[in-house]
Amino acid sequence: MNMQITTAEPAVAVMGLNKIYDTGFQALKDINLDIRVGEIFALLGPNGAGKTTLIGTICGMVRPTDGQILVGGHDVVTEFRKTRAMIGMVPQELSADRFETVWATVSFTRGLFGKPRNDKVIEKILRDLSLWDKRNDKLITLSGGMKRRVLIAKALSHEPKILFLDEPTAGVDVELRRDMWNVVRELRENGVTIILTTHYIEEAEEMADRIGVISNGEIILVEEKTELMRQLGKKDLAVQLQEPLKALPQSLTDLGLKLSDDGEELRYSYDSQADRTGIATLIGALNAEGISIKDLSTHQSSLEEIFIGLLRDRT
Ligand SMILES: Nc1ncnc2c1ncn2[C@@H]1O[C@H](COP(=O)(O)OP(=O)(O)OP(=O)(O)O)[C@@H](O)[C@H]1O
């Protein structure tokens, strides 16, 4: 169930944000964005679109040229320590500590954020991530999937309110990806706000409550995932014909039907959410023209197709 928690104050508020690097390159252009408390927000965009820069500014690692960012109501520049402590970041790789145990490394990370030792919190995190049995194992002995879990555990060790996941499942197998998705959903249910960047659009389709698309440093769209798929998702109907057609009768062209090059298939694109899809009319028109149908199939556009279409429309 999608429990959307809305409070007056967003988890992250980005206002009029611009970033021009020292090279003179403008990586972010007038970004205005609110991330709601308790949502899973997926930030999608092609390489070089500005995702890392945007996340860097929210985390206080990249200084904005212009504009303001509030995390939990606090300014990320003037109240850096406060806002940074509210944020957990999951990097893609485990850096050091290879000979440390799982417990030691996760517990140590909590201390880095100035939080007092709390074994109960660390135990809960390790249990939730199925790492409890491995708590005394050295990192070097863990499988890739378990190491990923340790990364999440480290990012959660100081009980952040906001979790950033940068390409969380890049290069992991399908099974681990499913596990990670479950962990992320559980975190959301516990009130953690999650912002993820991903190249796997399937991941956003599966997990996100809302989707933001960034292109050339601009946010070109922010929308509820279900709404986005409803508004922009089209269905395509393919009608295979008993006998190939040389040309399409005018009555069928008028209905928006297209004939394939080999004349064996008719294609029709429609809005599956509309009250009238037009399919009944279309079948009637085919009958009236004496055209027999061999087979029918439909195809629903995926978020990936929607995304590619959006970016294409911009260029
Ligand atoms: N320190 C920097 N100095 C100058 N230009 C930079 C710097 N960091 C990033 N850029 C440029 O800013 C643009 C946005 O980069 P960014 O890393 O934010 O994109 P991204 O969307 O995260 O890309 P990817 O998906 O490849 O990680 C790119 O054109 C990049 O070359």
Side-chain angles (χ1 to χ4, degrees):
M1 196 174 45
N2 184 352
M3 299 270 289
Q4 195 72 58
I5 307 160
T6 39
T7 61
E9 181 146 62
V12 178
V14 179
M15 293 162 285
L17 176 67
N18 286 285
K19 174 64 190 176
I20 302 172
Y21 280 112
D22 293 344
T23 54
F25 182 79
Q26 183 159 11
L28 297 176
K29 298 170 191 159
D30 193 30
I31 307 272
N32 292 286
L33 178 68
D34 279 356
I35 309 286
R36 300 170 187 157
V37 172
E39 74 173 337
I40 300 182
F41 187 91
L43 186 62
L44 305 181
N47 288 113
K51 300 180 294 293
T52 311
T53 304
L54 178 56
I55 288 177
T57 55
I58 297 172
C59 296
M61 325 286 254
V62 175
R63 214 180 170 85
T65 305
D66 208 358
Q68 195 187 22
I69 303 170
L70 302 180
V71 170
H74 300 279
D75 188 290
V76 298
V77 177
T78 59
E79 297 173 272
F80 172 70
R81 285 180 68 83
K82 203 168 209 166
T83 57
R84 184 63 188 87
M86 286 185 226
I87 293 172
M89 276 204 73
V90 181
Q92 287 186 32
E93 299 287 335
L94 258 186
S95 44
D97 328 329
R98 298 183 332 135
F99 296 98
E100 290 275 15
T101 63
V102 170
W103 176 276
T105 192
V106 176
S107 197
F108 175 72
T109 308
R110 179 179 169 87
L112 288 181
F113 286 93
K115 289 261 176 171
R117 179 171 168 169
N118 188 331
D119 291 356
K120 280 268 166 285
V121 168
I122 303 297
E123 177 175 342
K124 169 141 188 16
I125 292 168
L126 296 184
R127 284 192 188 280
D128 286 352
L129 288 162
S130 308
L131 282 170
W132 184 243
D133 293 344
K134 308 265 180 200
R135 65 188 179 283
N136 296 319
D137 291 9
K138 293 192 168 70
L139 299 183
I140 196 168
T141 65
L142 299 180
S143 68
M146 284 296 163
K147 284 191 184 123
R148 286 276 174 145
R149 286 167 204 257
V150 174
L151 285 172
I152 302 183
K154 275 164 63 100
L156 293 173
S157 64
H158 62 292
E159 300 164 274
K161 299 265 182 287
I162 300 161
L163 184 68
F164 282 95
L165 296 162
D166 185 17
E167 297 282 334
T169 58
V172 307
D173 62 25
V174 176
E175 206 171 311
L176 178 60
R177 190 174 303 168
R178 294 268 158 202
D179 278 2
M180 300 258 300
W181 289 351
N182 288 335
V183 169
V184 166
R185 282 197 198 96
E186 220 180 286
L187 287 170
R188 197 258 311 256
E189 271 158 32
N190 291 327
V192 177
T193 303
I194 291 146
I195 302 170
L196 72 109
T197 67
T198 181
H199 279 107
Y200 295 102
I201 300 192
E202 188 198 355
E203 193 156 74
E205 191 165 341
E206 175 85 22
M207 298 209 304
D209 298 311
R210 281 198 308 156
I211 309 259
V213 178
I214 184 167
S215 169
N216 291 322
E218 285 179 84
I219 297 274
I220 60 171
L221 174 133
V222 176
E223 189 60 271
E224 301 284 337
K225 178 190 64 191
T226 46
E227 186 61 17
L228 182 65
M229 297 189 73
R230 193 184 71 79
Q231 278 181 4
L232 299 180
K234 291 261 182 259
K235 260 191 158 177
D236 291 315
L237 173 72
V239 182
Q240 285 185 308
L241 306 172
Q242 284 292 358
E243 303 288 339
L245 280 178
K246 284 201 179 60
L248 199 59
Q250 190 60 42
S251 64
L252 298 181
T253 312
D254 291 347
L255 290 175
L257 274 163
K258 296 207 165 56
L259 185 65
S260 63
D261 290 344
D262 61 12
E264 291 185 359
E265 196 174 272
L266 295 172
R267 301 212 180 97
Y268 178 67
S269 191
Y270 63 101
D271 177 0
S272 57
Q273 305 293 322
D275 289 342
R276 292 179 169 276
T277 58
I279 292 174
T281 313
L282 188 148
I283 303 285
L286 288 173
N287 275 334
E289 294 287 349
I291 298 171
S292 316
I293 298 171
K294 188 156 103 191
D295 202 2
L296 286 174
S297 61
T298 59
H299 167 77
Q300 170 94 49
S301 53
S302 65
L303 187 57
E304 174 133 28
E305 287 161 319
I306 295 170
F307 177 59
I308 290 166
L310 268 175
L311 295 178
R312 198 178 34 227
D313 290 347
R314 300 277 305 179
T315 51

